[in-house]
Amino acid sequence: MPDCLFCSIVAGTVPAFRVVDTEEGVGFLDIRPVFKGHVLVVPRPHVSQLTDLPAALLPGYFALVQRVAAAVPSALGSQGTFVAINNVVSQSVPHLHTHVVPRTKGDGLRGFFWPRTKYASDEEAQSYADRVRIALDGAL
């Protein structure tokens, strides 16, 4: 879809801090992360929400989400992850995307009120992307 931001990221016409790029999908840092290292995983084809993802693509897509969810704590030293999908409501970009957010006990996240933070620079964002990418590569 030419007007879809995430399709443009998948196509490489819009820059992003990529952590993974496979046949099943692309993972990149959220530019307004809940916590630094917050990754968005998107399928390659444009689908608006989870219910639109063809059944044949589910295993590969969720295997990729699972890999990212395993890599984030390893890469960033968090205790775990919060994995979530919004469908339509609270979906700022109408392209299916799965949030993989690093979590540590006492990090202050409560319920569904997600505070947002910013990276200090592109270099800092790139360093987070690199760390998750390296952990993903090691998990292959």
Side-chain angles (χ1 to χ4, degrees):
M1 259 195 60
D3 293 338
C4 174
L5 173 62
F6 290 171
C7 285
S8 296
I9 289 172
V10 168
T13 57
V14 169
F17 297 101
R18 290 177 184 247
V19 301
V20 65
D21 189 341
T22 69
E23 183 179 320
E24 296 76 26
V26 175
F28 51 91
L29 295 182
D30 190 316
I31 61 168
R32 290 180 46 236
V34 174
F35 298 115
K36 293 176 181 179
H38 176 168
V39 176
L40 300 178
V41 181
V42 302
R44 287 192 165 280
H46 180 83
V47 294
S48 295
Q49 57 185 323
L50 182 59
T51 55
D52 298 330
L53 188 67
L57 300 181
L58 283 167
Y61 179 71
F62 279 104
L64 178 59
V65 171
Q66 184 180 45
R67 286 181 49 220
V68 172
V72 166
S74 172
L76 306 178
S78 62
Q79 293 173 319
T81 59
F82 175 71
V83 178
I85 297 173
N86 290 309
N87 283 303
V88 182
V89 176
S90 294
Q91 192 178 9
S92 58
V93 176
H95 183 123
L96 172 63
H97 54 283
T98 305
H99 298 261
V100 180
V101 180
R103 295 294 315 272
T104 301
K105 187 175 181 172
D107 61 18
L109 186 62
R110 300 206 187 291
F112 290 97
F113 298 103
W114 293 12
R116 296 297 183 139
T117 188
K118 292 183 180 187
Y119 293 97
S121 65
D122 284 354
E123 292 77 18
E124 182 186 33
Q126 188 64 58
S127 75
Y128 276 82
D130 290 344
R131 288 161 54 192
V132 175
R133 185 181 318 101
I134 289 165
L136 277 165
D137 289 345
L140 293 177

